[in-house]
Amino acid sequence: MEEIKQEVAHALETLIEERYGARPEKIAVEYPPQPGMGDLASPVAFELAKRLRRPPRQIASDLAAAFPALPGVGRVEAGGAGYLNIFLDRAAAARALARDIASSPLKAEGQGKVIVEHTNINPNKAAHIGHLRNAVLGDTLARCLRFFGHSVEVQNYIDDTGVQVADIVIGFREILRGGLVEARAVREKFDNFCWDLYARVTEMYERQPEKQQLRPAVLQHLEERAGEDARLAAYVARRIVDCHLDTMARIGVRYDLLPWESHILAYRFWDRAFDLLKEKKVVERLTAGDRAGCWVMALEGPRFADLKEGEKIIVRSNGTVTYVGKDIAYQLWKFGLLDADFGYGRFREEPDGHVVWTTTDDPLERLRDHPRFGGAARVYNVIDVRQAYLQAIVAEGLKALGHADQAARSIHFAYEMVALTPASAEKLGVPLSDEDRKRAFIEMSGRRGVGVKADDLLDALEKQALDEVTARNPDHGAREARDLARAISVGALRYLMVKYTRNRVLAFDFDEALSFEGETGPYLQYAAVRARGIFEKMAAAGGPDEETAAAWALEGDFDLPGTDAAEEHWALLTFIARFRDTVRQAVDSLELSQVAKYAFNLAQRFNVFYHKYPVMQEPDPRWKKARVVLTYLFLAQMRHAFELMGIPEPARM
């Protein structure tokens, strides 16, 4: 459908230029709001009417009469007050849809590599539920970009020299009275151990505020990468990152490269970037006031009017670099704008053979044979909306260094936080007051240890799904039930994380996520399992299987009489054909909820259609063949949607 829309728009552009000597800014080709108004429609005559001073209806009639023969288009008519209604050649459209579904993505030639940076959990404690939304959105975006043939590199930036890691080091030193030996001796799940320790550090600072004076020295040790503090931090961070990757693997999220902040310093990326910033006079060193000795960026204009003075600091007075400074250097590297590169090694290999690479400056880890990383044409930074100012500063830094094009292609994919409904918070053991129970949602605070670990949420989801599976299917074996529960819980979580618009706070609710009815992942999974079951039953009775249905779809007869029933069959096919167009709009607008909404509507339409028009019991071979084809096209397109959203297709429901 997307291809036909583009061809119709191009044909109209050529026709209008030949006929009127005019060239509209953009020729819109849309889906009409009601059946009978064509399969596609264009309001271009209304735009031309103002310029040509002629009635829109008259222009539309002229264009319809002169519209050239176009593959896939049956006829073009003028409708309403001046719309062009385009009716497709149904057999050709059905064949084109089947070919599109069966084809591999075409390479996005000439568009260069795309880097998607997401997750970015501080390596000081376990991942929490908010990190799951970041990871799911980033992973879904990467999948959508690959669907359109882009070369995508997924990076998970590890901030191993920041305040959070420094606080864990202080926790080991001041609270546990230990160091590297004691950290290595921890046998429980290490990220959970550090979760609790981090909360104890916060409590210590509240009781003994003077302890916060330990931070600057520890931060300096981490940046200089020397001494016991640095060795302890390196061990803690690497072990926790391994835990984070395990957590994200549970929901099908994986990475190509782990760039470490410490290596930005070790490879002197920051030094190079700092020299450039000073050379271009983008930063200045203050000599008086509370910030004397700090290097700050000059940020002017209404965009930065509310920026706190401290947020303009790039280098602190003690010489340590802020997050923003290191991120400017990192962003320059991502675009290939630094005359430098990291060393690379293997961090780990996943069970399916996928290698997660890491930056490294360890000669024993460094490998010569590695993929080429960085050097992107476009970069998406998936970071929550609270980081909008910092992301704007990074882009401003690129622009000030003369890289305005790259600044424009440095895209902040912002999203709102994740919270819990009071009922879900209590289910996960979060203590609530009577006032909390009246709230719409409960916010988390990882620093205070008031929050929900991602693994705990996944465990609870899986347990509730297992209870549901066991109740519905008591004949399932234990392993089959567990596998099914895992698939349903992952589908439920990933769908819920995507279905809400990204500017809306997501209040996670167990019952909503796992419901088999309504707009949920399990509802989509049930629809796909039902469609697959139709083929299994037909094949068992000697009828067509999926392979046969795919062949019939490519033949594309779709030979149905002109009845209301035929129009309903055609309406389902044309909706199935809107998938690619929907994904394109979702990527362009960075509103991935459109993919989730489309998949739900498709499942809903198919379920309604199937109830009204059964497949196996239909005696007329023409109708039966059309329904077999529609069932195949629905299932194939739903599988595409599952692949983009990372939703597993269960064996049964």
Side-chain angles (χ1 to χ4, degrees):
M1 192 66 80
E2 184 184 30
E3 188 177 325
I4 292 175
K5 284 173 69 177
Q6 291 172 354
E7 290 175 354
V8 167
H10 179 69
L12 281 172
E13 184 179 22
T14 302
L15 179 60
I16 290 166
E17 192 164 10
E18 290 174 352
R19 201 166 183 85
Y20 304 117
R23 183 184 286 272
E25 284 186 19
K26 183 181 180 182
I27 296 178
V29 180
E30 307 162 345
Y31 297 111
Q34 297 175 3
M37 300 174 69
D39 301 308
L40 298 169
S42 176
V44 67
F46 293 98
E47 182 188 338
L48 288 171
K50 299 173 187 175
R51 297 163 65 178
L52 302 177
R53 298 185 179 180
R54 291 174 58 189
R57 173 79 187 195
Q58 186 182 91
I59 296 171
S61 297
D62 289 348
L63 291 174
F67 196 85
L70 202 63
V73 175
R75 68 185 193 279
V76 178
E77 297 176 354
Y83 276 91
L84 272 175
N85 295 334
I86 298 104
F87 296 83
L88 302 184
D89 177 334
R90 295 190 172 183
R95 288 193 297 272
L97 173 57
R99 286 196 303 271
D100 178 67
I101 285 175
S103 65
S104 300
L106 297 174
K107 283 196 173 183
E109 299 291 351
Q111 297 196 35
K113 179 197 291 183
V114 178
I115 288 177
V116 178
E117 179 203 337
H118 68 79
T119 306
N120 305 355
I121 310 170
N122 289 318
N124 68 315
K125 59 184 173 63
H128 59 63
I129 59 173
H131 297 130
L132 293 175
R133 189 177 198 187
N134 184 305
V136 169
L137 289 175
D139 184 62
T140 302
L141 175 62
R143 289 167 183 256
C144 289
L145 291 165
R146 289 193 183 106
F147 177 71
F148 289 115
H150 292 279
S151 172
V152 181
E153 180 176 302
V154 177
Q155 297 186 4
N156 179 4
Y157 181 77
I158 312 298
D159 178 4
D160 60 329
T161 63
V163 170
Q164 290 80 6
V165 175
D167 280 349
I168 281 292
V169 169
I170 292 169
F172 270 99
R173 297 284 188 220
E174 297 296 314
I175 296 174
L176 302 181
R177 299 298 175 184
L180 187 56
V181 172
E182 287 71 21
R184 285 177 171 156
V186 174
R187 289 292 168 260
E188 65 184 274
K189 197 167 182 297
F190 194 69
D191 56 341
N192 290 350
F193 176 86
C194 290
W195 174 287
D196 295 334
L197 178 58
Y198 188 61
R200 292 175 66 187
V201 171
T202 302
E203 292 170 2
M204 179 185 72
Y205 288 154
E206 290 175 350
R207 293 192 315 270
Q208 301 172 277
E210 69 278 5
K211 291 285 188 181
Q212 294 187 52
Q213 296 173 12
L214 298 170
R215 272 181 180 161
V218 174
L219 282 169
Q220 195 156 1
H221 296 159
L222 300 192
E223 288 201 5
E224 293 170 353
R225 307 182 73 224
E228 286 299 313
D229 285 350
R231 283 188 283 275
L232 174 59
Y235 174 81
V236 167
R238 193 174 185 100
R239 191 168 166 185
I240 287 180
V241 168
D242 218 21
C243 294
H244 291 167
L245 297 192
D246 288 342
T247 300
M248 296 307 162
R250 295 181 66 179
I251 58 170
V253 174
R254 65 186 190 182
Y255 312 91
D256 299 310
L257 179 67
L258 308 177
W260 295 69
E261 189 168 276
S262 58
H263 298 142
I264 287 177
L265 300 171
Y267 282 95
R268 307 183 69 81
F269 286 9
W270 164 244
D271 292 345
R272 292 167 188 261
F274 193 29
D275 287 343
L276 291 171
L277 290 167
K278 288 186 287 188
E279 182 183 323
K280 296 282 186 178
K281 301 190 184 308
V282 179
V283 294
E284 63 174 337
R285 187 174 184 275
L286 302 182
T287 56
D290 293 342
R291 295 177 297 145
C294 295
W295 287 85
V296 300
M297 280 184 69
L299 298 162
E300 306 295 339
R303 188 179 189 185
F304 302 106
D306 297 329
L307 200 63
K308 296 175 183 176
E309 289 301 310
E311 291 175 318
K312 298 179 183 181
I313 296 174
I314 303 299
V315 180
R316 304 180 187 93
S317 58
N318 65 357
T320 57
V321 189
T322 63
Y323 161 81
V324 177
K326 285 173 278 195
D327 208 37
I328 290 172
Y330 176 40
Q331 203 75 347
L332 287 168
W333 170 80
K334 281 191 281 189
F335 280 110
L337 299 173
L338 281 181
D339 184 22
D341 199 5
F342 295 107
Y344 302 98
R346 289 171 171 244
F347 189 82
R348 73 187 215 179
E349 185 172 330
E350 306 293 2
D352 65 355
H354 177 77
V355 176
V356 181
W357 289 83
T358 179
T359 59
T360 181
D361 63 341
D362 185 341
L364 298 177
E365 282 188 349
R366 202 159 46 223
L367 298 174
R368 289 189 178 184
D369 186 16
H370 60 78
R372 182 182 178 274
F373 295 109
R378 181 177 295 270
V379 173
Y380 293 92
N381 303 304
V382 185
I383 308 176
D384 73 54
V385 70
R386 292 170 296 181
Q387 303 296 319
Y389 265 137
L390 298 180
Q391 285 295 300
I393 294 171
V394 171
E396 195 67 21
L398 293 183
K399 194 185 301 183
L401 289 172
H403 304 299
D405 288 346
Q406 286 81 0
R409 287 185 265 116
S410 177
I411 300 159
H412 179 201
F413 184 167
Y415 63 92
E416 270 291 356
M417 67 174 184
V418 179
L420 291 170
T421 61
S424 294
E426 286 196 301
K427 184 187 285 283
L428 288 163
V430 177
L432 300 181
S433 65
D434 290 339
E435 186 178 342
D436 287 335
R437 292 186 184 92
K438 297 175 185 177
R439 297 178 188 273
F441 56 81
I442 306 299
E443 293 185 36
M444 303 293 103
S445 173
R447 180 173 288 279
R448 296 182 177 274
V450 180
V452 177
K453 304 178 189 75
D455 281 317
D456 288 351
L457 175 64
L458 294 172
D459 290 343
L461 265 177
E462 198 169 315
K463 182 182 181 303
Q464 187 164 327
L466 182 60
D467 292 343
E468 184 75 17
V469 167
T470 304
R472 288 171 176 255
N473 303 282
D475 58 320
H476 282 2
R479 181 172 181 177
E480 183 182 12
R482 280 197 306 272
D483 290 345
L484 181 52
R486 190 172 297 116
I488 290 171
S489 63
V490 170
L493 176 89
R494 291 199 58 137
Y495 187 81
L496 192 68
M497 291 293 175
V498 173
K499 84 167 185 176
Y500 289 107
T501 56
R502 59 193 177 97
N503 62 354
R504 176 178 170 182
V505 173
L506 194 164
F508 188 91
D509 183 81
F510 277 92
D511 293 335
E512 176 192 2
L514 285 169
S515 174
F516 281 58
E517 300 297 328
E519 196 174 346
T520 67
Y523 178 80
L524 268 61
Q525 291 171 314
Y526 182 76
V529 168
R530 165 184 273 176
R532 193 179 67 240
I534 293 171
F535 286 113
E536 290 170 355
K537 291 175 183 176
M538 285 193 296
D545 57 10
E546 284 190 51
E547 189 176 342
T548 302
W552 286 359
L554 289 169
E555 292 170 10
D557 296 338
F558 223 76
D559 179 22
L560 298 177
T563 62
D564 288 344
E567 291 306 310
E568 289 185 69
H569 284 60
W570 176 244
L572 178 58
L573 187 143
T574 54
F575 192 80
I576 293 170
R578 295 185 187 186
F579 177 68
R580 183 177 290 271
D581 196 31
T582 301
V583 179
R584 174 70 66 192
Q585 292 173 19
V587 171
D588 289 347
S589 64
L590 289 182
E591 194 49 82
L592 302 179
S593 60
Q594 293 181 52
V595 179
K597 181 70 72 176
Y598 169 89
F600 169 68
N601 287 335
L602 178 58
Q604 197 174 45
R605 285 174 183 237
F606 176 76
N607 285 337
V608 170
F609 178 86
Y610 176 70
H611 279 298
K612 190 171 183 179
Y613 299 110
V615 179
M616 293 183 67
Q617 291 80 20
E618 175 55 52
D620 187 309
R622 290 183 306 169
W623 288 102
K624 184 168 185 174
K625 185 174 183 179
R627 290 173 199 171
V628 167
V629 167
L630 280 172
T631 302
Y632 161 75
L633 293 174
F634 159 76
L635 181 57
Q637 206 71 300
M638 187 58 77
R639 283 171 173 161
H640 280 158
F642 281 1
E643 173 60 30
L644 297 192
M645 290 187 287
I647 294 175
E649 180 185 341
R652 289 201 283 171
M653 288 293 279

